[in-house]
Amino acid sequence: MQFEEELARVLPQDLPHRERLISLGQKHLEMISAANEYMNLTRIVSPEEAAVKHIFDCVAPWRFFESAARVLDAGTGAGFPGIPLAIVLPEVRFTLAESIGKKARFVESVVDALELPNATVIAERAEFAAAAQKADLITARAVAPIDRLVTLFGKPLKAGVRLLVLKGPDVESEMAEAEMGRITRNVLCRYDLPGGFGSRTLVELSLKGAEHATLHKQARASQQ
């Protein structure tokens, strides 16, 4: 399959480490295609659709991740968005959480094959991983509705961790239906996928006053 050709065609020219992503992204997609023969990783199999929906979709909003030190990819599935982001942002540490063991083992094999020192895979539910990991940002793609995500990651949000979720065209109805409480929502960006494959919205969820409370707690600790 001509994954490399499609990646070269659709990826933004100003993307950091673009050529590296074309090379490693091709290998990632080839591994998914091979694994799909014996396990259900994805229904997206054509080179064009895979390049757009698996790779472009994940890295288009890369600028909103580059300032983070540690990112938790909740429910990474076949490695998205964590692996493409780890390729273009080598200075950021990514933890890829996947509760289904065989999928986690597959993603770990991809991380090893691509030699990504800034990516780690853990085989457990994302909400448990979030409690154990010291991430300053959690991201989720095609994992759950917004109201469910707020419930799952309530504790990290209270601790000042930001949640960045990639959503499709139904994002407005999801936000309207969610019981937000003290959770603030901020639409960071919207973008269209090449080839008419739809649109995406990156939404940031955070707890009102959580960041201030965290900084205050840290300041008190430093004084003791």
Side-chain angles (χ1 to χ4, degrees):
M1 292 188 178
Q2 301 300 313
F3 293 122
E4 184 176 15
E5 180 179 332
E6 290 297 333
L7 288 169
R9 184 177 65 84
V10 302
L11 290 178
Q13 292 295 326
D14 62 347
L15 189 68
H17 305 284
R18 185 177 185 272
E19 293 303 317
R20 183 170 181 252
L21 180 59
I22 291 172
S23 175
L24 297 186
Q26 174 192 357
K27 191 169 185 178
H28 186 187
L29 294 177
E30 288 174 345
M31 292 180 72
I32 290 174
S33 180
N36 243 12
E37 298 294 328
Y38 60 88
M39 61 190 277
N40 182 26
L41 283 173
T42 178
R43 295 179 183 177
I44 300 171
V45 294
S46 76
E48 179 188 16
E49 193 173 5
V52 172
K53 290 188 175 181
H54 284 327
I55 308 295
F56 176 94
D57 189 13
C58 294
V59 300
W62 64 270
R63 290 180 177 85
F64 297 96
F65 294 86
E66 65 176 335
S67 63
R70 294 179 178 273
V71 176
L72 173 64
D73 177 7
T76 191
F80 304 113
I83 287 179
L85 284 172
I87 292 170
V88 300
L89 299 172
E91 302 303 317
V92 180
R93 296 287 308 178
F94 287 86
T95 299
L96 284 55
E98 174 54 54
S99 62
I100 300 176
K102 61 182 180 180
K103 288 186 177 181
R105 289 190 292 273
F106 168 76
V107 176
E108 191 165 19
S109 72
V110 174
V111 169
D112 290 343
L114 302 188
E115 299 181 355
L116 299 177
N118 62 321
T120 303
V121 182
I122 53 176
E124 61 181 20
R125 292 180 63 86
E127 60 268 33
F128 300 144
Q133 301 295 316
K134 295 182 178 180
D136 50 9
L137 190 155
I138 299 172
T139 189
R141 175 179 180 260
V143 171
I146 286 177
D147 57 350
R148 177 62 176 157
L149 292 172
V150 169
T151 300
L152 288 174
F153 301 111
K155 288 184 178 180
L157 286 169
K158 289 178 182 178
V161 176
R162 296 181 300 136
L163 177 59
L164 267 59
V165 294
L166 288 157
K167 286 292 177 179
D170 59 345
V171 63
E172 297 296 340
S173 61
E174 277 194 37
M175 289 193 294
E177 293 172 4
E179 180 61 45
M180 304 303 290
R182 291 181 59 208
I183 304 296
T184 62
R185 57 184 182 267
N186 181 26
V187 175
L188 297 179
C189 69
R190 303 179 192 271
Y191 54 95
D192 293 325
L193 301 178
F197 284 114
S199 62
R200 292 290 182 268
T201 301
L202 183 67
V203 180
E204 178 187 33
L205 304 174
S206 59
L207 188 67
K208 296 176 183 177
E211 182 177 356
H212 174 75
T214 301
L215 292 174
H216 181 65
K217 184 178 180 180
Q218 291 174 344
R220 287 182 58 191
S222 65
Q223 294 171 1
Q224 294 176 354

